[in-house]
Amino acid sequence: MVKKLLSQYLKRRNLLSQNALTQRYLVIDLELTGLDVNQHEIVSIAWVKIDNQCIKISESQHLINKEVKSLEQSPVFHGIVEDTVAKGQSLHSILTQLSRDFSDHILVFHNAILDWGFLKAALKNANISAQPKLILDTLHIEKKRLTCQGAEIKQDDLTLSACRTRYELPSYHCHNALTDAQATAELLLAQCHQINRGKEVKVGELT
C-alpha cells in the first residue's frame, strides 16, 4: 500500500513539473437536467482531445444518453429532444468509451466540481473503475489568474463565455456539449499562452 501511494505521488510530482503545452488533454463537457447529482441526470457527454497544442476535432465525440428519464429543460437549452435521445447509447457504453483515455490524458473541465461530480457518481454506479492522472479546471485557472492580478471577480466573470471574451476568442452561438468542450479546449490553450508569456508553463502552474 505504501509503495503504491509513493508511486502515485512520484508520478503526480513528475507530471506537475512537465511542460503544459506538450501534454495530451481530454476536454469534457456534460449536458445535465439540473445541478443536483442526487436527483438530476446526464443527458449527453462530449469530449475533445488536445495533443501537443493541437485540438483533434476529427477525434471528438458527442454521445446522447438514451436512458435519460426526463429531459427537463434540455430541449430549450441544448436542443436535445425525445427523438434524439431514442437514437442515443446507454450511459454505460458512453462511460466505457470515455474512460479509455483517462490513463494517458489529463482531464479538463470548465467547472470541474459540477461535471466531474456527475461523472464520478455515474462511473461508480456503472461499476467502471477509472482513475484520472490529473484534473484541470479552466474556471479555476482563470479565477487564480484574475486573483493574482488583484482583479475584482463579479458573479458572471467566470462563465465559459466571459472567460473566452477576455482572451478575444470568438463566440459560439450554438451551445451544446460538443461546442462547449471545443470552446473549453481553446480557452485552455489561450490560458497557457497568456500565463507563460513566451516562457515554458508547467502543468503544476495550472492546478
Side-chain angles (χ1 to χ4, degrees), residues 40-120:
H40 294 122
E41 301 175 272
I42 296 172
V43 179
S44 72
I45 304 177
W47 59 91
V48 175
K49 294 179 182 180
I50 304 175
D51 189 356
N52 199 26
Q53 300 187 66
C54 179
I55 299 175
K56 305 282 192 177
I57 298 299
S58 62
E59 297 179 30
S60 62
Q61 292 282 355
H62 183 201
L63 303 178
I64 312 294
N65 174 19
K66 71 177 184 181
E67 298 164 339
V68 64
K69 298 179 181 67
S70 173
L71 285 173
E72 302 285 343
Q73 294 297 305
S74 290
V76 177
F77 293 124
H78 311 301
I80 295 177
V81 296
E82 296 290 351
D83 287 349
T84 312
V85 171
K87 298 173 184 175
Q89 299 182 26
S90 71
L91 186 56
H92 190 281
S93 173
I94 296 171
L95 294 172
T96 299
Q97 295 172 67
L98 173 64
S99 60
R100 286 182 188 137
D101 291 308
F102 279 16
S103 62
D104 57 357
H105 289 75
I106 295 172
L107 270 54
V108 181
F109 301 90
H110 189 81
N111 193 1
I113 291 176
L114 178 65
D115 282 3
W116 177 243
F118 269 86
L119 262 186
K120 186 164 61 172

Side-chain angles (χ1 to χ4, degrees), residues 110 138 142 157-167 187:
H110 189 81
T138 50
E142 193 65 8
D157 284 349
L158 296 175
T159 64
L160 180 56
S161 177
C163 291
R164 286 177 57 84
T165 299
R166 213 170 282 119
Y167 294 89
L187 174 60

Side-chain angles (χ1 to χ4, degrees), residues 3 36 56 63 162 200:
K3 285 185 178 180
D36 188 341
K56 305 282 192 177
L63 303 178
E200 181 178 304

Side-chain angles (χ1 to χ4, degrees), residues 148-193:
C148 288
Q149 293 176 351
E152 179 186 353
I153 302 175
K154 299 175 183 177
Q155 184 176 358
D156 294 328
D157 284 349
L158 296 175
T159 64
L160 180 56
S161 177
C163 291
R164 286 177 57 84
T165 299
R166 213 170 282 119
Y167 294 89
E168 299 183 357
L169 293 167
S171 174
Y172 284 105
H173 299 293
C174 173
H175 285 286
N176 60 38
L178 184 56
T179 54
D180 283 353
Q182 182 177 338
T184 302
E186 293 170 358
L187 174 60
L188 176 69
L189 292 178
Q191 288 173 323
C192 287
H193 284 281

